[in-house]
Structure formats: C-alpha cells, structure tokens
Amino acid sequence: PEPVLAFIRAADGEQVLCAFNLGDEAEGWSPPASLGALSLLATENAVGVGAVPTVLAPSSRYWAAIGAS
C-alpha cells in the first residue's frame, strides 16, 4: 500500500526492517516471508514488546531485526 514505507538498514552484518505508516488511516501490511524470522525491536510506543504488527496504526512505525531466532 502506498502509505506504507518499508526498507532494510544493514550494518556490521546485521539487518533491521524499518516500517512506517505515513497515512492517516490504519493499513494492513506484512513483511515478505522471504525475510525469514523477525524479532520486534521497537515501536513508536515501546521497546521489544510483542509481535511484529500486521496492521500499522495511522502515523505508526516499527523496527524489527531480520534473521533473529
């Protein structure tokens, strides 16, 4: 969906998925399965709590480690 901006940042052998809902409505979005296991690092409200969201609230964001076990 257009309002969702997602990209991968990589450094020192680690990768982080960064996902942002830039819209003013909730958007359903899931990362591609090809990324493998993800571990939630943070959202706009919390650090390392819960599962990777499949619905992004308006103006929300999250960061998830790729390849986490």
Side-chain angles (χ1 to χ4, degrees):
E2 244 178 69
V4 176
L5 171 66
F7 54 90
I8 296 170
R9 297 290 309 241
D12 299 325
E14 296 183 355
Q15 294 183 315
V16 174
L17 172 67
C18 309
F20 302 84
N21 180 359
L22 304 177
D24 57 3
E25 295 182 15
E27 291 289 334
W29 186 81
S30 294
S34 61
L35 292 180
L38 298 174
S39 176
L40 186 65
L41 297 172
T43 69
E44 69 280 358
N45 297 321
V47 175
V49 176
V52 172
T54 56
V55 175
L56 291 121
S59 301
S60 68
R61 54 225 168 259
Y62 73 82
W63 299 265
I66 298 173
S69 46

